[in-house]
Amino acid sequence: MPSELDATLPEQRIVEAAAVLPDFGGVTGWAGLRWAGGAWFDGSGAGGVGRRPVVLATGYADVLGQPGIDVSQERLGPAELTRIDGLWITEPVRSLCFEMRYAGSDRAAVEALDLAAYSDLVSVAEAADYARGRNGWTGIPRCRRALALADENSWSPQETRLRLVWMFDAGLPRPLCNRPVFDLAGHHLGTPDLLDPVAGLVGEYDGSLHLVTSQRRRDRDREQMFRDHGLEYVAIMAGDGRHTTVRRLLGARRRERFLPEGERQWSIEAPTWWPATYTVAQRRALDAEQRERWLRTRLRVG
């Protein structure tokens, strides 16, 4: 955690809220995940507007909420608390389950799990195991529905949202997330946000960063590289509405040739020296040097 906290940082809000905790309790939800290292959990409201309250899990202790702080008195066991950098928080799987149960939609619950997995805080299996024993808890059906839709290799909330539009609004088969693509000699062509390996369709989300001239040039070269090897390519821009996104996805899929594997100029079979980093378990097994080498393009937020 930062040594000198700025009042605009989510960390400062979490520290101030934690000061209200009783003798037994911890910060939970998005704030608990943030304090545990969840890069994408910044406490912003829907669409990045406003701020969500920090939630304190207090068990049965009677603590009054106040502006910017909500209190949850759901049952809480000692094993569900952990102390990190001087603050008591609920274990990441408990914080995530809270976040998913009280999410505003099933898609928001999926997003929470994807982003917790991004920082390797919780795997889908760990979340499922925790949810299995919580029958009757508020929101647990939503949490369980989201488990089947999550992906441990989504790299941003925008990618998760695009994947869910791809599946549920466009009705396309579930894509692979951030799966590296190689030419037939084993050279890395790129790692697209989304890939339909049957159709050969690449889907990319281009945020505001991609409008910068140097980035646009790299995006253009990357798109051409995919197309030169027989992959259809569609980029969804920041600000594209759901209707536009669906129309562009379906149009790109209609253009795809669905080449059989023997006729393709590309493959998702990685060379033997390329490590698999698609799951939480695979990434946790990397040492610090390997993480820096193989995840450096992934460890970006914003």
Side-chain angles (χ1 to χ4, degrees):
M1 296 297 108
S3 56
E4 295 184 4
L5 295 174
D6 187 303
T8 63
L9 293 176
E11 286 80 5
Q12 179 62 38
R13 297 175 55 212
I14 295 168
V15 168
E16 293 175 355
V20 181
L21 282 169
D23 292 339
F24 179 75
V27 175
T28 195
W30 74 263
L33 292 165
R34 176 72 175 204
W35 198 261
W40 285 104
F41 297 93
D42 62 2
S44 59
V49 178
R51 294 180 178 179
R52 298 174 56 202
V54 175
V55 181
L56 306 179
T58 64
Y60 299 113
D62 190 11
V63 176
L64 293 178
Q66 51 187 274
I69 301 174
D70 285 351
V71 176
S72 167
Q73 290 184 288
E74 294 175 317
R75 60 184 180 271
L76 177 67
E80 295 180 293
L81 293 171
T82 187
R83 193 172 177 86
I84 298 178
D85 294 326
L87 294 189
W88 284 103
I89 66 170
T90 58
E91 287 283 350
V93 70
R94 161 82 185 227
S95 295
L96 174 62
C97 188
F98 183 93
E99 188 75 358
M100 295 172 71
R101 290 189 294 115
Y102 288 97
S105 66
D106 286 2
R107 296 191 193 203
V110 174
E111 186 176 315
L113 179 46
D114 277 12
L115 300 184
Y118 171 90
S119 294
D120 300 330
L121 295 176
V122 184
S123 69
V124 172
E126 290 164 348
D129 186 60
Y130 186 89
R132 191 174 297 115
R134 268 68 189 178
N135 294 333
W137 281 41
T138 299
I140 202 67
R142 167 158 288 167
C143 178
R144 289 172 176 165
R145 288 193 298 271
L147 290 167
L149 302 173
D151 193 293
E152 294 185 357
N153 204 36
S154 179
W155 291 4
S156 74
Q158 293 84 2
E159 287 182 15
T160 295
R161 294 166 198 163
L162 177 57
R163 183 178 87 247
L164 296 176
V165 170
W166 174 302
M167 293 167 59
F168 295 109
D169 298 294
L172 299 179
R174 183 169 182 159
L176 299 175
C177 293
N178 294 292
R179 185 62 60 92
V181 178
F182 305 88
D183 67 16
L184 300 186
H187 301 122
H188 183 221
L189 299 177
T191 301
D193 296 342
L194 302 176
L195 172 68
D196 180 339
V198 176
L201 174 61
V202 163
E204 297 271 52
Y205 173 82
D206 289 352
S208 56
L209 172 65
H210 294 257
L211 300 178
V212 179
T213 302
S214 58
Q215 182 62 45
R216 288 300 302 158
R217 187 176 297 112
R218 287 192 292 270
D219 290 344
R220 180 197 62 197
D221 294 344
R222 173 185 171 91
E223 176 180 351
Q224 191 61 50
M225 179 77 75
F226 284 133
R227 291 190 183 280
D228 286 347
H229 287 81
L231 289 155
E232 183 57 51
Y233 184 100
V234 59
I236 304 302
M237 307 297 293
D240 281 348
R242 189 170 296 183
H243 177 76
T244 298
T245 299
V246 169
R247 178 174 54 79
R248 301 197 68 234
L249 288 173
L250 293 177
R253 187 173 169 84
R254 284 193 296 270
R255 293 191 298 271
E256 188 46 68
R257 292 180 291 169
F258 290 83
L259 292 176
E261 192 168 346
E263 297 180 22
R264 297 174 183 170
Q265 300 178 54
W266 57 272
S267 173
I268 58 172
E269 184 172 343
T272 55
W273 52 267
W274 186 284
T277 58
Y278 317 131
T279 69
V280 171
Q282 289 168 344
R283 295 190 293 269
R284 285 174 177 170
L286 301 176
D287 61 31
E289 183 179 350
Q290 290 170 324
R291 289 184 66 83
E292 172 60 27
R293 179 180 181 186
W294 295 107
L295 302 181
R296 65 180 180 272
T297 58
R298 175 184 172 277
L299 298 176
R300 73 204 195 286
V301 173

